[in-house]
Amino acid sequence: MAHENFTIRNLSSTEITITRVSRFPQPTVPGPRPVTIKNITNIGNLTHNFTSFVARTLPIPPPAEPSSKTIAENAQAFSEEDVLICLPAFGIVPTEIKFNKDEVLRLAFVVGEAKFRADLNSHTPAVHCLSPGTEHKFNAVFHRNHSHLALLSSASLGGWMERLKDETPLSLISIPGTHNTPTCYTALPSVRCQAVGPKQQLENGIRFFDVRCQVDDAKSLSLVHGAFPIALTEFKKNLKDVLKEAYSFLDSNPHECVIISLKREGRGDADDAKFAKVLKEGYIDKEASRWYLEDNIPTLGQARGKAILFRRFTLPSDLRQFGINAEHWDYNTPDSNTPSGVCRVQDFCEVLEPATIDKKVTYVKEHLERSAKPLQPDTIKQLFVNFLSASNFWKVGCWPEKIAEKVNVEAKRHLAIDHVAGKEHGDGSTGVVVCDYVGEGGDWELVRLIVAMNGWIEKTG
């Protein structure tokens, strides 16, 4: 197989130096032994053969690729080379390293005095720290077909905002979010949009909640997605449950903040005016000290420890202005400004056929790049909001989970390889990226890539 030059991208705020390249043969996973009279009573072999049969007939995912530990224990490097490749913070460095897709590359690198090692044998290779006690930790995202490696900080997602400067406006921060945040329950087709609940989302870096509510009575707002409740149970889920999770998280992590987008949906004859009054009197006024309710984009210092209202409903004339005004944007839009001018949104959501998912991917990438562009002098940046979500209730291939399977993968590839980052390219931010089905199976790579774009605004010293 032809060799290709290897590109390495440093998506961290620290300089990285590659010092050694080793090559290993790809480990082979032994197949099942043939079934013979001699071994037919071997339970392990019978299990292996049965599993292989099932795997050929049912859509079971393939086994994980061999781990770095397996490579280290069962293979000897057939090539080793000392190198000196400096990767500046947010730098992209094409190297002279020739990459053969049939090999495993082991890269040794240093950050200051700390030593690390990564074996490039899977999409998310483990990065091993060889210097106990160092504050630096890294993750890797490896795109074998592109001969591309991205190295990014693996600092805790639960407290990522603590590392950012107080004076930074939220519109300059790359913020991971979730669409229809609490819809993690068994529900009607296309209603469920999330794999895990709000608490786990917060603990893994989500800082924008998209919540839809229905007015049930003078004091109550239940959670819905469109016209339907978010769970097929006899009990309605209430907005207070989501807010309780947010308040609890902020109490434990006062350096963080959470933008909470609220919109009226569902059945009944209540209008936005009724919705606004029930929300304010029944929910916000009772916990007013926990909220940032100004109609502007705050700095992180102003917002720490707060829930920030992102208002997607119209206020009645007898209520004083409260919350960031996001009352309206064009429906099904690839790019729209809110009338208030505060937000710029990509929310192309009517993916009626699986073939249209590619169009959605294009719009997502274009909006990521808009958010990253440099500001004109003396201008205040809008809050860019980029919905990765879309659905079609009537077509299985266009339910939220199916669309997320492709859109999330393409968004991750774009962020790892193509998205600009760092001051020399504008601010390099992604804006608010609103996702479906993040965290499924413990996969938070998309969130980590979004958060990584904030490295240039981290505190120093």
Side-chain angles (χ1 to χ4, degrees):
M1 182 174 291
H3 290 63
E4 298 179 13
N5 279 33
F6 192 61
T7 298
I8 307 176
R9 185 176 191 186
N10 179 5
L11 280 174
S12 79
S13 57
T14 57
E15 183 177 284
I16 296 172
T17 303
I18 308 296
T19 59
R20 192 171 184 81
V21 178
S22 305
R23 300 176 188 275
F24 295 81
Q26 279 281 5
T28 57
V29 179
R33 294 167 56 197
V35 178
T36 65
I37 296 297
K38 183 176 180 179
N39 67 19
I40 196 168
T41 56
N42 184 306
I43 298 301
N45 192 65
L46 284 173
T47 302
H48 196 151
N49 277 280
F50 176 73
T51 303
S52 298
F53 168 75
V54 173
R56 290 193 300 270
T57 55
L58 296 176
I60 296 176
E65 297 186 52
S67 67
S68 295
K69 181 178 180 182
T70 301
I71 295 168
E73 292 177 351
N74 296 289
Q76 294 295 320
F78 56 74
S79 172
E80 293 185 308
E81 177 186 5
D82 290 328
V83 297
L84 185 63
I85 302 172
C86 295
L87 308 174
F90 288 101
I92 302 174
V93 179
T95 74
E96 296 299 317
I97 300 171
K98 295 295 184 180
F99 174 64
N100 187 327
K101 293 182 172 64
D102 292 329
E103 298 173 346
V104 175
L105 279 181
R106 171 175 291 173
L107 299 182
F109 63 93
V110 297
V111 177
E113 298 297 320
K115 298 179 180 180
F116 299 85
R117 186 193 81 210
D119 290 329
L120 309 187
N121 62 296
S122 67
H123 176 67
T124 52
V127 178
H128 301 279
C129 179
L130 307 178
S131 301
T134 181
E135 63 178 345
H136 299 292
K137 297 179 181 179
F138 290 90
N139 276 57
V141 179
F142 178 45
H143 285 87
R144 183 181 296 275
N145 291 338
H146 297 271
S147 297
H148 188 281
L149 174 71
L151 294 169
L152 54 153
S153 170
S154 62
S156 170
L157 288 175
W160 64 265
M161 284 182 161
E162 184 176 16
R163 303 187 293 275
L164 307 186
K165 300 172 185 176
D166 278 352
E167 61 268 27
T168 309
L170 260 62
S171 54
L172 292 183
I173 301 176
S174 299
I175 300 174
T178 48
H179 160 250
N180 278 288
T181 297
T183 58
C184 58
Y185 304 96
T186 301
L188 293 173
S190 88
V191 171
R192 183 177 181 180
C193 300
Q194 300 303 327
V196 301
K199 181 176 185 291
Q200 194 171 345
Q201 291 176 30
L202 288 166
E203 291 170 347
N204 286 279
I206 296 299
R207 297 294 179 267
F208 179 98
F209 277 9
D210 169 38
V211 183
R212 320 294 175 91
C213 301
Q214 172 180 291
V215 179
D216 287 333
D217 53 47
K219 297 182 180 180
S220 181
L221 296 174
S222 61
L223 301 176
V224 295
H225 180 179
F228 305 108
I230 67 167
L232 290 175
T233 66
E234 58 181 304
F235 301 108
K236 292 180 180 178
K237 305 294 182 182
N238 195 283
L239 174 61
K240 67 182 180 182
D241 299 319
V242 177
L243 297 182
K244 183 179 178 180
E245 296 284 11
Y247 297 156
S248 176
F249 176 79
L250 292 170
D251 286 345
S252 299
N253 301 273
H255 39 70
E256 306 294 298
C257 66
V258 182
I259 303 172
I260 299 183
S261 170
L262 289 168
K263 181 186 178 188
R264 177 182 62 85
E265 288 187 355
R267 302 179 183 276
D269 56 3
D271 58 10
D272 274 9
K274 177 68 172 177
F275 178 87
K277 290 183 177 180
V278 172
L279 172 66
K280 187 173 186 300
E281 295 169 6
Y283 295 83
I284 291 179
D285 285 352
K286 295 177 179 180
E287 300 282 359
S289 64
R290 295 182 178 274
W291 288 84
Y292 183 90
L293 297 171
E294 300 301 315
D295 183 18
N296 55 48
I297 297 171
T299 64
L300 183 54
Q302 292 172 318
R304 291 194 194 275
K306 302 285 187 180
I308 303 157
L309 178 61
F310 186 83
R311 177 171 57 80
R312 293 189 63 189
F313 53 90
T314 304
L315 293 175
S317 58
D318 59 339
L319 270 188
R320 176 180 170 274
Q321 178 76 36
F322 69 100
I324 296 173
N325 183 355
E327 288 179 11
H328 174 76
W329 58 72
D330 292 342
Y331 174 71
N332 199 39
T333 179
D335 179 24
S336 173
N337 290 299
T338 58
S340 67
V342 174
C343 306
R344 189 167 175 178
V345 179
Q346 181 282 124
D347 190 17
F348 177 73
C349 58
E350 287 196 353
V351 175
L352 303 181
E353 298 288 340
T356 314
I357 299 176
D358 289 337
K359 182 186 290 188
K360 174 68 177 181
V361 168
T362 297
Y363 292 153
V364 166
K365 293 178 181 179
E366 289 175 349
H367 210 60
L368 286 171
E369 295 314 299
R370 289 188 198 103
S371 178
K373 288 182 178 179
L375 288 173
Q376 296 297 318
D378 301 318
T379 59
I380 297 174
K381 185 170 184 176
Q382 296 171 290
L383 186 66
F384 281 74
V385 183
N386 196 347
F387 283 84
L388 274 57
S389 54
S391 69
N392 176 7
F393 180 91
W394 304 107
K395 190 171 287 289
V396 174
C398 295
W399 287 353
E401 185 175 12
K402 295 296 184 181
I403 292 176
E405 285 176 1
K406 183 166 186 179
V407 175
N408 289 1
V409 166
E410 289 299 315
K412 289 189 286 188
R413 190 207 61 78
H414 179 83
L415 290 170
I417 299 176
D418 298 323
H419 187 69
V420 300
K423 292 182 180 178
E424 68 274 17
H425 301 292
D427 63 58
S429 73
T430 66
V432 179
V433 183
V434 191
C435 315
D436 278 348
Y437 279 96
V438 289
E440 188 165 25
D443 180 6
W444 298 98
E445 181 183 304
L446 178 54
V447 173
R448 195 171 290 284
L449 282 164
I450 296 165
V451 171
M453 300 299 163
N454 293 309
W456 69 276
I457 53 175
E458 289 185 2
K459 300 174 184 176
T460 57

